[in-house]
Amino acid sequence: CMQQNFLQSLQGSDIRLIAIDEAHCISEWGHNFRPEYRQLAQIKKVFPHVPVIALTATAIPEVRRDIVRQLCLDHAREFIGSFNRKNLRYQVIAKKNPMVFLLHYLGQHRNDAGIIYCLSKKETEEVAGELKKRGFSAIPYHAGLSKQARESAQDAFIRDSVSVVCATVAFGMGIDKPDVRYVIHYDLPKTVESYYQETGRAGRDGQYSECILLYSRGDSGRIRAMLEHDEGGAGHLRTGLKKLQEMTEYCENTGCRRKYLLAYFGEEYTEENCGLCD
């Protein structure tokens, strides 16, 4: 977007509005910080009189403030919808025999569409393979597959010729299947934002749906090791470890899970318990 040729071509057009999607990527406090997004602040200098809107579904208050600051949005007006997905049930289960749990759960939901999120590409294929062996209609999805294979998996899921997608975080962008009845996290997500975004793919038709997270401290240690071996620098590590700690607190929290999630995103939930979590 910020390449000179592209900007020059835009300047020859009648630009009425600039919308920046996935705006949490602009903030280093966001769960998917991409330094190159910071360059988008220059767009206000190139188009000083064009309104700019920044959009995101998963920004905590700190990130929202940072988006305004980084994009130099003077006198910005903020519009915040509720983060409360009232039809979703949240549950965290100790990860002892995860495949046994999956087989039992899927056996009870054989006619339902669902997503199983895994941490690695290898795991998506192993889990999908095990499920297929036991007679379930399952398919893996990850960034290592060809574009054709990914599109084929998406189409099969959307058309109900496959019931279960075993996926990494690569799955979900642009997927708007309304009748996903369950989202299971086979592994611990790295951040509360990712978890919220991924569980949000369940029950988009407003019907009752379940969000189940299989939790073990071993997974937490595994993610910590991944973060420590990442070459993103000290700041990236610090943010990553903080977000991992918040995710762990969600799992080990003994209070209402919905209350915890909403408080994380800066929304007050006045009830003591939602009645739709474990």
Side-chain angles (χ1 to χ4, degrees):
C1 181
M2 301 315 297
Q3 289 172 8
Q4 208 53 46
N5 291 348
F6 185 71
L7 286 174
Q8 281 171 356
S9 72
L10 280 185
Q11 283 172 303
S13 308
D14 184 18
I15 304 291
R16 302 293 181 91
L17 173 75
I18 295 162
I20 298 170
D21 201 10
E22 306 296 346
H24 55 268
C25 296
I26 288 161
S27 172
E28 65 179 313
W29 313 114
H31 67 292
N32 198 10
F33 173 51
R34 299 179 190 176
E36 61 273 20
Y37 263 60
R38 293 282 179 104
Q39 297 171 37
L40 291 171
Q42 300 301 314
I43 213 156
K44 285 288 287 178
K45 293 176 182 171
V46 181
F47 299 100
H49 305 300
V50 176
V52 173
I53 183 170
L55 307 157
T56 172
T58 49
I60 58 177
E62 193 175 19
V63 170
R64 298 201 289 266
R65 288 191 293 271
D66 205 24
I67 289 168
V68 170
R69 190 164 55 246
Q70 295 298 334
L71 289 178
C72 307
L73 301 178
D74 299 327
H75 311 296
R77 293 166 70 196
E78 227 175 289
F79 300 89
I80 304 165
S82 174
F83 289 89
N84 190 5
R85 297 286 308 281
K86 294 179 182 177
N87 59 314
L88 300 187
R89 182 175 195 273
Y90 299 103
Q91 188 175 4
V92 177
I93 295 173
K95 187 179 181 179
K96 288 175 181 168
N97 297 297
M99 186 50 66
V100 172
F101 169 80
L102 276 189
L103 294 171
H104 178 71
Y105 184 87
L106 266 60
Q108 294 179 316
H109 297 80
R110 208 170 270 277
N111 299 320
D112 293 336
I115 305 169
I116 300 170
Y117 279 105
C118 304
L119 196 57
S120 70
K121 299 172 190 175
K122 183 168 175 273
E123 210 162 40
T124 64
E125 296 188 352
E126 287 173 353
V127 172
E130 279 295 321
L131 294 176
K132 280 168 84 173
K133 262 194 254 176
R134 312 295 171 90
F136 293 100
S137 168
I139 197 166
Y141 185 104
H142 56 75
L145 296 172
S146 67
K147 186 171 185 282
Q148 188 179 0
R150 291 199 308 273
E151 286 176 356
S152 170
Q154 284 181 9
D155 288 346
F157 186 56
I158 286 167
R159 291 175 184 163
D160 293 323
S161 51
V162 164
S163 300
V164 186
V165 175
C166 302
T168 60
V169 293
F171 184 76
M173 301 300 277
I175 303 296
D176 194 16
K177 184 173 169 60
D179 60 343
V180 174
R181 293 277 71 90
Y182 60 87
V183 169
I184 296 173
H185 281 85
Y186 195 78
D187 299 303
L188 184 71
K190 293 179 183 176
T191 71
V192 176
E193 289 97 325
S194 299
Y195 172 72
Y196 178 82
Q197 201 165 36
E198 288 152 18
T199 55
R201 290 177 186 130
R204 290 190 171 182
D205 55 3
Q207 300 300 308
Y208 172 79
S209 304
E210 297 187 329
C211 306
I212 299 169
L213 194 163
L214 304 182
Y215 172 64
S216 80
R217 287 192 173 179
D219 279 351
S220 183
R222 198 167 137 214
I223 294 168
R224 178 180 286 273
M226 286 166 63
L227 290 168
E228 286 168 351
H229 287 94
D230 195 2
E231 295 177 0
H236 177 77
L237 175 61
R238 213 165 31 247
T239 302
L241 291 175
K242 178 176 179 284
K243 292 199 169 290
L244 176 60
Q245 179 59 34
E246 289 161 348
M247 190 67 239
T248 304
E249 283 171 9
Y250 168 80
C251 294
E252 297 185 355
N253 166 44
T254 56
C256 175
R257 300 207 189 275
R258 188 178 309 275
K259 196 177 182 79
Y260 182 100
L261 282 176
L262 296 179
Y264 183 83
F265 287 106
E267 183 174 340
E268 188 182 358
Y269 187 69
T270 53
E271 301 295 323
E272 196 53 45
N273 197 308
C274 68
L276 208 61
C277 73
D278 62 333

